[in-house]
Amino acid sequence: GDSVTQMEGPVTLSEEAFLTINCTYTATGYPSLFWYVQYPGEGLQLLLKATKADDKGSNKGFEATYRKETTSFHLEKGSVQVSDSAVYFCALSDSPASGGSYIPTFGRGTSLIVHP
Amino acid sequence: KAGVTQTPRYLIKTRGQQVTLSCSPISGHRSVSWYQQTPGQGLQFLFEYFSETQRNKGNFPGRFSGRQFSNSRSEMNVSTLELGDSALYLCASSLEGQGPLGYTFGSGTRLTVV
């Protein structure tokens, strides 16, 4: 079945440091890939997405490129801020479930802590 | 516009009891999905409702059930609570056909079973 593997956290960085959170996936088809972010006490928010190979998703300074050859979708940001402290989830959506809708598979999340 | 509203925010229940959680989707969203979030398992899909019908169900025991009303509000129920049911329960609403591309999550209900 489908699966998503993320690097274990927490990732601890100083402000303005470069961020990489690794994500690799296993899927039977050609999935869409997503990064979600969860700030403390809140639900998940879609951060960025890519729907086909070599697509680059970007938002709020974060980027991730869909690499089919390495089945990866690593999240990067050039200069993190304290306000980026959150939990980041990588997810994929493959072929539709029996009910016809797309049910995403999530990674376990990576906590990012940014110090001033 | 108002977001996805989940009530209550926090719950403490005793083993063996039952609990009902509520999710009010964004106006116009007719699809509601429920997830269980735990530190050990991450996010696991519980079920999805659309137009008052359960469209998909995850791999959870029958103690977990849900329903959706004509106004798209959804409830989930857990009977005979176990300690392992302690988790953050999240719901996500979306327009029909958008799936995760269009998910808007609520802030969740934190359930603690003692």
Side-chain angles (χ1 to χ4, degrees):
Chain A
D2 296 345
S3 66
V4 175
T5 302
Q6 290 181 237
M7 59 189 292
E8 296 222 6
V11 173
T12 304
L13 295 172
S14 297
E15 209 164 24
E16 300 184 2
F18 184 86
L19 167 71
T20 300
I21 300 179
N22 290 338
C23 170
T24 57
Y25 68 89
T26 302
T28 51
Y30 298 95
S32 294
L33 302 173
F34 309 86
W35 277 101
Y36 287 85
V37 58
Q38 184 178 33
Y39 298 104
E42 299 183 11
L44 279 72
Q45 303 173 25
L46 180 63
L47 181 60
L48 52 84
K49 68 181 187 302
T51 57
K52 62 182 187 298
D54 300 324
D55 267 3
K56 177 185 282 189
S58 62
N59 186 25
K60 300 181 181 180
F62 291 90
E63 292 183 340
T65 301
Y66 189 143
R67 301 285 188 201
K68 188 169 181 291
E69 64 277 12
T70 55
T71 61
S72 65
F73 193 54
H74 304 322
L75 182 68
E76 296 181 337
K77 187 176 185 183
S79 175
V80 294
Q81 305 299 313
V82 172
S83 57
D84 293 327
S85 298
V87 180
Y88 292 82
F89 292 87
C90 185
L92 71 82
S93 177
D94 200 349
S95 49
S98 57
S101 51
Y102 290 83
I103 308 300
T105 298
F106 288 88
R108 293 196 176 186
T110 301
S111 175
L112 170 65
I113 301 169
V114 181
H115 294 293
Chain B
K1 61 182 176 181
V4 177
T5 303
Q6 290 190 246
T7 57
R9 286 298 304 272
Y10 302 93
L11 265 178
I12 300 176
K13 290 286 188 179
T14 304
R15 263 185 309 175
Q17 287 186 314
Q18 75 165 17
V19 67
T20 300
L21 313 181
S22 177
C23 172
S24 294
I26 287 177
S27 177
H29 284 191
R30 294 166 63 196
S31 176
V32 175
S33 298
W34 288 89
Y35 289 85
Q36 181 193 66
Q37 184 180 7
T38 59
Q41 300 295 322
L43 272 87
Q44 293 190 286
F45 171 73
L46 280 156
F47 22 65
E48 180 203 9
Y49 286 88
F50 177 76
S51 291
E52 303 178 64
T53 301
Q54 186 181 88
R55 201 153 60 168
N56 287 292
K57 189 177 192 307
N59 189 25
F60 277 82
R63 300 185 296 108
F64 291 81
S65 63
R67 60 178 175 169
Q68 187 179 35
F69 302 94
S70 58
N71 62 357
S72 295
R73 188 177 72 85
S74 178
E75 289 181 347
M76 66 164 281
N77 184 278
V78 189
S79 62
T80 320
L81 284 165
E82 301 176 0
L83 295 179
D85 297 333
S86 295
L88 180 66
Y89 290 87
L90 293 166
C91 79
S93 74
S94 63
L95 293 170
E96 202 274 331
Q98 282 193 325
L101 278 173
Y103 271 1
T104 300
F105 280 88
S107 297
T109 294
R110 172 77 61 185
L111 171 65
T112 302
V113 182
V114 297

